[in-house]
Amino acid sequence: MRISTLGYSAVQGVKNIGRNKMFSIASVATMSACIFMFGLFFSILMNFNFVLKNIEKNVGITVFFNEGLDQASIDMIGQEIINQKEIVKECKYVSADEAWEGFSDRYFEGNEDAAEGFKNKKDNPLANSAHYEVYVNKIEDQDQLVSYIKSLEGVRKVEQSKQASSTLSTINRLITTVSLVIIAILLAVSIFLISNTVSMGITIRREEIAIMKYIGAKDGFVRAPFVIEGLIIGAVGAVIPLVLLYFMYDKAITYIMTKFSLLNNIVDFLPVATVYRTLLPIGIALGV
């Protein structure tokens, strides 16, 4: 398409919006509402997944060894676990002494004298509690890794937070399904609204289009102004709510942290720049 033809189509597309002001305004407003809801939900979804990922980091597997197992065999078990690189994120060895120190710090706080009698290594009540703490990349892979570790020679017991991993997996699947359904609904509504507006423009210009066709205008030349009209409406309808959400995001997080100060030490929210690296192109693309 020549530059002059493209310019003509762009001008006509803008004029189409002017001819159908009420329908265009209605489409932009509804599109803005749809994209605003999408952006709001998307921001919540990203933060929710971020929180889940942080929780997953603390849901690990504890691997205990057979009594009297030598250090070389323990190291070999650790290496076998680490070799599962696609699943294992971190594998940390905790000796019996470290296990007792952690236990005493937690349960004898403020009453350290009660733990003095166990300073001698021979008196360590957790002498057989050396273990590996293993963390996975994805909580869904935890069961697979547990089955593998149980098959290793020298492993006495493997403990995992079955309820936590099951709950997190269920929440992840639920959030993914709901997000896909909402995105599909919003996209369908937006397409319906824009197509109605463009259809009205075609109806109003039916005679003009017929004349253009009679004198030899090609389909692409006739369609181009309506395509441009739809693109403009979609882009404007997407930019407005994205700008609003950008300025509302930080204020909303500040309000939540102030109102619910208990969350300060529990939940971390993503910065707006991180959210918008993904939301901005998706929002514009949905509008267009």
Side-chain angles (χ1 to χ4, degrees):
M1 186 180 289
R2 291 180 301 178
I3 296 177
S4 58
T5 304
L6 185 60
Y8 170 81
S9 298
V11 170
Q12 291 302 311
V14 173
K15 285 183 177 179
N16 285 351
I17 296 174
R19 292 189 184 101
N20 307 305
K21 287 181 182 177
M22 295 307 298
F23 286 103
S24 298
I25 292 172
S27 290
V28 169
T30 311
M31 170 67 80
S32 295
C34 290
I35 297 295
F36 183 86
M37 290 178 63
F38 167 78
L40 183 64
F41 179 80
F42 187 86
S43 301
I44 294 172
L45 175 65
M46 281 194 69
N47 278 285
F48 190 79
N49 282 333
F50 179 68
V51 171
L52 278 183
K53 291 297 180 184
N54 286 336
I55 294 174
E56 286 179 6
K57 291 178 183 177
N58 298 317
V59 178
I61 301 167
T62 307
V63 183
F64 295 98
F65 322 111
N66 291 335
E67 190 171 350
L69 192 68
D70 60 274
Q71 190 61 44
S73 298
I74 292 175
D75 293 341
M76 189 176 296
I77 292 173
Q79 190 58 49
E80 290 288 342
I81 296 172
I82 293 171
N83 287 340
Q84 305 300 307
K85 295 178 181 178
E86 294 182 359
I87 299 176
V88 177
K89 181 178 182 179
E90 181 184 357
C91 181
K92 177 185 176 184
Y93 176 69
V94 179
S95 67
D97 293 335
E98 290 172 334
W100 170 246
E101 287 177 10
F103 180 86
S104 59
D105 289 344
R106 187 181 307 166
Y107 295 100
F108 288 94
E109 185 178 1
N111 192 22
E112 287 76 9
D113 293 341
E116 287 293 320
F118 299 103
K119 274 193 171 183
N120 193 316
K121 290 187 177 180
K122 294 182 179 179
D123 297 328
N124 186 350
L126 301 181
N128 197 34
S129 293
H131 61 273
Y132 283 113
E133 292 178 356
V134 185
Y135 299 93
V136 295
N137 291 314
K138 295 181 180 179
I139 198 72
E140 295 85 358
D141 296 331
Q142 199 178 85
D143 289 340
Q144 178 185 343
L145 183 62
V146 168
S147 298
Y148 172 76
I149 295 174
K150 285 181 177 179
S151 68
L152 297 177
E153 186 177 351
V155 174
R156 170 168 56 91
K157 183 172 64 171
V158 180
E159 291 184 351
Q160 68 175 134
S161 182
K162 187 74 176 178
Q163 185 62 39
S165 62
S166 175
T167 301
L168 289 173
S169 296
T170 302
I171 291 174
N172 272 331
R173 286 194 298 269
L174 178 63
I175 291 297
T176 301
T177 302
V178 171
S179 63
L180 289 175
V181 170
I182 289 180
I183 289 171
I185 292 173
L186 292 176
L187 185 58
V189 170
S190 300
I191 291 173
F192 174 76
L193 290 168
I194 297 298
S195 65
N196 275 351
T197 301
V198 173
S199 295
M200 286 301 300
I202 293 171
T203 301
I204 293 171
R205 296 182 62 199
R206 182 175 296 170
E207 291 184 5
E208 182 181 341
I209 291 171
I211 294 171
M212 292 169 67
K213 294 291 287 182
Y214 280 133
I215 63 176
K218 295 181 179 179
D219 288 344
F221 181 81
V222 175
R223 290 172 180 160
F226 300 103
V227 173
I228 292 173
E229 177 186 353
L231 291 176
I232 293 173
I233 290 173
V236 173
V239 168
I240 293 172
L242 289 174
V243 170
L244 286 174
L245 278 171
Y246 184 87
F247 291 105
M248 290 174 59
Y249 185 87
D250 282 332
K251 291 183 178 180
I253 289 178
T254 303
Y255 174 80
I256 291 171
M257 286 304 195
T258 304
K259 195 74 173 177
F260 306 97
S261 55
L262 182 65
L263 296 176
N264 287 328
N265 298 324
I266 302 174
V267 177
D268 288 324
F269 290 100
L270 288 168
V272 66
T274 302
V275 175
Y276 263 69
R277 272 201 296 267
T278 306
L279 177 58
L280 185 60
I282 291 179
I284 297 293
L286 280 175
V288 171

